[in-house]
Amino acid sequence: MPQIVFLPHEVHCPEGKVVEAKAGESILDTALRNDIAIEHACEMSCACTTCHVIVREGFDSLEPSDELEDDMLDKAWGLEPESRLSCQAKVGEEDLVVEIPRYTLNQVSEQH
């Protein structure tokens, strides 16, 4: 079973966290199942960028992003070549190291 290492993030997981993932499950679903509350304003419909993450290790093991995800990622704060929408990126067989960016482009947050 692959693991995801979530790097420390001052709000979502201050200590960082290593969790077990299920192949085929989205990074976001894995995070939520393990009490890492990554924002997802569009309810995982690939219509916003609030669940943007950067895959620091294991990026090449993910299925490629589609055109819709790429279009949304163009709007993400802090976009990097290894950026993905965590609601769309499905875990493969390899371990991942994931960074949750410090900011999102979300006008309203239900968590604050």
Side-chain angles (χ1 to χ4, degrees):
M1 197 175 257
Q3 291 185 327
I4 300 178
V5 175
F6 287 95
L7 298 175
H9 181 280
E10 63 184 64
V11 174
H12 299 298
C13 55
E15 306 293 317
K17 197 167 193 179
V18 179
V19 300
E20 294 289 324
K22 299 174 185 170
E25 178 178 48
S26 73
I27 292 172
L28 179 58
D29 284 332
T30 302
L32 295 174
R33 186 169 47 78
N34 287 280
D35 301 318
I36 302 171
I38 296 173
E39 291 192 49
H40 51 286
C42 73
E43 295 300 320
M44 305 179 217
S45 65
C46 197
C48 74
T49 63
T50 58
C51 72
H52 168 231
V53 296
I54 302 162
V55 182
R56 296 291 181 201
E57 293 180 24
F59 182 82
D60 291 335
S61 71
L62 302 172
E63 290 289 321
S65 56
D66 63 18
E67 188 175 340
L68 177 60
E69 182 181 355
D70 290 341
D71 288 346
M72 291 310 303
L73 279 169
D74 285 342
K75 302 172 187 176
W77 181 89
L79 182 67
E80 294 191 18
E82 295 81 22
S83 288
R84 291 296 301 267
L85 296 181
S86 62
C87 69
Q88 300 299 303
K90 306 291 185 197
V91 178
E93 298 297 326
E94 289 185 32
D95 294 346
L96 303 174
V97 175
V98 173
E99 179 181 348
I100 302 167
R102 185 176 189 148
Y103 302 106
T104 67
L105 297 178
N106 190 6
Q107 293 182 342
V108 178
S109 175
E110 305 277 334
Q111 305 302 317
H112 301 288

